[in-house]
């Protein structure tokens, strides 16, 4: 493999010159104002080395990528009982679709579509009021990254709170089925603030390290989740992390990944790398266009794939 820094520099250089950049998500007021020319990429490897290129230290709105972390927290508090309220199947529909909820009795298909993440926010509220829940969420992210400067962009949250009619509809609809247990305003306030987390690629790649390392924070050696849970979160990222383009992402990139409408993607090469990319322009399915292309390029050069034969070690050979 060529030097990873060179690979990233080449990718960032090519992406800077790309003419087709996708469309910025403009349904959240602050996102509409982001410059579409940004591109950043960060890789943290299993040895703790960090490689950055392009706008890797420019913060952006993490949006749906936060659903990976809120799911991790909810599994920690509720355990597998969570799966009675949220499914584990790809939705095959848009991130904010309401249609399946009717036939499926208010149980969202998975934790990464909006409806599923709203249920997760409701689960997290079982212990605290929204303010403390959000503070706990930010604390968790700061622990994962080792970076206390990470904050929520309250302006982004307020904008979404003022215009997120579809999410209001989803939450009310699920409340009617009894799958939202707290007042809808509190649940959505929590959800919108969670989505409005601002991070850069470097911080995001750092936050994903526990998923690269089988559930353990490599810095502290602390177990964030069990290895089985880490594998299951990765399985959900692979099958559901890109809405109804999840199959295409698995086909092209071959790594578990989660995208957000801010244009970020977190992808994990288990045992090898935690990767974050950001380019604000989205494709027709709401995923970062150049982010996905950059990851395709990266895995071509590195060979990272969960479908790589070396990824499976025979039980007898386990250390
Ligand atoms: N906060 C966004 C929403 O609820 C998140 C969507 C996304 O990133 O895909 O619409």
């Amino acid at each position: 493999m060529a030097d990873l820094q060179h690979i990233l520099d080449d990718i960032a250089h090519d992406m800077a010159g790309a003419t087709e950049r996708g469309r910025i998500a403009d349904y959240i007021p602050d996102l509409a104002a982001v410059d579409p020319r940004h591109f950043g990429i960060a890789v943290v490897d299993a040895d703790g080395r960090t490689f950055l290129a392009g706008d890797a230290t420019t913060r952006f709105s993490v949006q749906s990528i936060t659903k990976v972390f809120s799911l991790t927290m909810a599994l920690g508090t509720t355990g597998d009982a969570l799966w009675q309220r949220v499914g584990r199947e790809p939705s095959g529909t848009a991130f904010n679709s309401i249609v399946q909820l009717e036939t499926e009795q208010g149980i969202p298909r998975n934790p990464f579509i909006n409806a599923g993440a709203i249920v997760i926010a409701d689960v997290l509220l079982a212990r605290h009021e929204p303010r403390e829940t959000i503070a706990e969420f930010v604390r968790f992210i700061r622990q994962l990254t080792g970076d206390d400067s990470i904050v929520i962009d309250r302006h982004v949250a307020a904008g979404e709170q003022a215009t997120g009619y579809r999410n209001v509809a989803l939450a009310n609809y699920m409340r009617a089925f009894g799958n939202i247990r707290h007042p809808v305003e509190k649940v959505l306030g929590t959800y919108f603030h969670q989505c409005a987390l601002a991070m850069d690629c470097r911080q995001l790649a750092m936050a994903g390290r526990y998923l690269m390392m089988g559930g353990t924070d490599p810095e502290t050696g602390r177990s964030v989740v069990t290895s089985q849970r880490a594998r299951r979160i990765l399985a959900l990222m692979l099958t559901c992390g890109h809405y109804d383009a999840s199959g295409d992402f698995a086909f092209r990139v071959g790594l578990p990944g989660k995208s957000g409408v801010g244009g970020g993607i977190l992808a994990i090469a288990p045992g090898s790398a935690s990767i974050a990319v950001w380019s604000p322009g989205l494709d027709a399915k709401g995923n970062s266009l150049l982010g996905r292309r950059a990851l395709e390029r990266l895995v071509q050069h590195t060979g990272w794939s969960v479908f790589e034969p070396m990824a499976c070690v025979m039980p007898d050979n386990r250390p």
Side-chain angles (χ1 to χ4, degrees):
M1 189 197 354
D3 173 55
L4 188 52
Q5 186 61 51
H6 281 131
I7 296 173
L8 298 190
D9 288 340
D10 276 357
I11 292 174
H13 177 265
D14 289 355
M15 295 301 152
T19 46
E20 190 196 358
R21 305 189 78 85
R23 258 194 89 218
I24 302 262
D26 52 9
Y27 74 100
I28 300 175
D30 281 39
L31 297 190
V34 177
D35 184 343
R37 288 168 301 184
H38 284 296
F39 175 85
I41 185 163
V43 176
V44 180
D45 74 7
D47 296 324
R49 290 176 301 187
T50 304
F51 304 86
L52 311 176
D55 302 321
T57 56
T58 305
R59 294 191 191 208
F60 59 94
S61 197
V62 182
Q63 294 294 325
S64 273
I65 305 169
T66 60
K67 294 171 182 174
V68 173
F69 307 116
S70 60
L71 171 66
T72 302
M73 276 177 72
L75 283 169
T77 58
T78 317
D80 287 338
L82 183 72
W83 304 120
Q84 285 158 19
R85 296 179 60 189
V86 190
R88 303 187 293 251
E89 291 295 338
S91 69
T93 57
F95 67 100
N96 54 8
S97 170
I98 202 163
V99 285
Q100 271 165 354
L101 280 179
E102 174 151 30
T103 48
E104 296 176 4
Q105 311 292 307
I107 308 287
R109 273 283 172 103
N110 66 65
F112 295 152
I113 50 173
N114 284 9
I118 292 169
V119 170
I120 301 284
D122 187 62
V123 168
L124 294 177
L125 282 176
R127 301 200 309 171
H128 303 296
E129 287 296 305
R131 190 177 289 274
E132 288 83 59
T133 303
I134 283 298
E136 195 180 24
F137 178 74
V138 173
R139 240 186 341 267
F140 179 52
I141 301 291
R142 287 177 174 178
Q143 269 166 17
L144 291 176
T145 53
D147 187 335
D148 282 348
S149 72
I150 294 170
V151 288
I152 283 167
D153 185 331
R154 294 188 183 279
H155 204 256
V156 171
E160 206 177 343
Q161 207 139 16
T163 58
Y165 307 112
R166 203 176 250 271
N167 288 321
V168 174
L170 289 170
N172 277 297
Y173 203 54
M174 292 189 290
R175 172 115 183 159
F177 280 106
N179 201 18
I180 292 292
R181 305 197 174 146
H182 298 88
V184 163
E185 316 74 66
K186 289 190 177 185
V187 177
L188 287 175
T190 306
Y191 170 73
F192 290 141
H193 279 81
Q194 165 199 319
C195 288
L197 191 72
M199 288 166 90
D200 62 30
C201 289
R202 190 185 56 80
Q203 292 165 331
L204 197 52
M206 293 290 274
R209 290 175 302 171
Y210 72 103
L211 293 170
M212 155 179 66
M213 302 304 277
T216 300
D217 179 340
E219 193 126 343
T220 60
R222 191 177 67 97
S223 167
V224 180
V225 284
T226 62
S227 57
Q228 185 193 52
R229 222 163 241 167
R231 285 198 297 276
R232 289 179 164 178
I233 293 169
L234 290 173
L236 288 167
M237 288 169 72
L238 186 75
T239 52
C240 312
H242 281 72
Y243 306 115
D244 52 341
S246 300
D248 192 54
F249 185 83
F251 180 84
R252 290 172 185 271
V253 178
L255 295 177
K258 180 74 201 85
S259 72
V261 290
I265 302 176
L266 173 66
I268 305 293
S272 299
S274 172
I275 309 148
V277 274
W278 171 53
S279 171
L282 308 179
D283 62 18
K285 298 283 173 79
N287 301 305
S288 175
L289 180 74
L290 295 187
R292 196 252 297 141
R293 288 203 181 142
L295 287 169
E296 272 185 270
R297 286 271 304 274
L298 180 64
V299 299
Q300 272 162 19
H301 285 288
T302 58
W304 289 333
S305 166
V306 290
F307 304 108
E308 170 66 31
M310 288 300 286
C312 292
V313 181
M314 289 300 284
D316 289 344
N317 299 341
R318 272 188 199 153

